[in-house]
Amino acid sequence: SHPAAAYVLIWAAILWLTMVEGGQASVVGLSPVNAELYRESHPIAHKCTRITNEGDNLDRYLLGRQFMVVIMVFCVNMSGGPLGDAELWGFPSWISNIFLQTGLAMILFTCNVGQLNTQVN
């Protein structure tokens, strides 16, 4: 595949992942809050939580969200994985093996850019 396609895919998946993670944190965080407190000031959030807090809709949302997260993380790792002969700025091969061959660099990228920053309230 072309490197430009991989570049577009990795950033599309990361952006989608941030929206899914931020939405999950907001929906779960607002579930115990009385919806009347933000009905006037945040009408869209009120409409969304009215739907997600009915019955077992929140559990269904969380299950579907987890499936989407798995697919997005897979896309990020497939499109951002290193080439077989990749080097890291002339560092020793053991450093390249730790960061590139084990996938540690992609784990850090996915967690820091795609997941953790949107869950900090």
Side-chain angles (χ1 to χ4, degrees):
S1 69
H2 198 272
Y7 183 80
V8 169
L9 178 62
I10 193 170
W11 283 108
I14 283 288
L15 290 174
W16 191 11
L17 183 61
T18 60
M19 288 185 269
V20 169
E21 292 290 350
Q24 177 261 332
S26 299
V27 169
V28 170
L30 283 175
S31 65
V33 176
N34 182 1
E36 294 304 315
L37 293 174
Y38 54 88
R39 182 181 199 159
E40 299 286 324
S41 61
H42 298 84
I44 295 173
H46 182 265
K47 287 179 185 178
C48 292
T49 55
R50 193 177 66 215
I51 293 169
T52 57
N53 293 342
E54 275 185 27
D56 63 347
N57 286 348
L58 185 59
D59 292 333
R60 291 178 181 188
Y61 167 76
L62 292 175
L63 181 63
R65 175 210 147 278
Q66 191 60 41
F67 181 70
M68 284 195 322
V69 167
V70 168
I71 290 172
M72 287 181 280
V73 169
F74 176 79
C75 289
V76 167
N77 286 323
M78 289 303 293
S79 59
L83 299 173
D85 58 348
E87 290 186 20
L88 188 62
W89 300 308
F91 284 125
S93 63
W94 64 273
I95 292 178
S96 293
N97 287 338
I98 289 173
F99 282 100
L100 300 179
Q101 300 307 319
T102 64
L104 181 61
M106 290 310 302
I107 291 169
L108 293 173
F109 174 71
T110 303
C111 289
N112 289 325
V113 178
Q115 293 180 306
L116 296 179
N117 62 346
T118 57
Q119 294 182 1
V120 176
N121 309 18

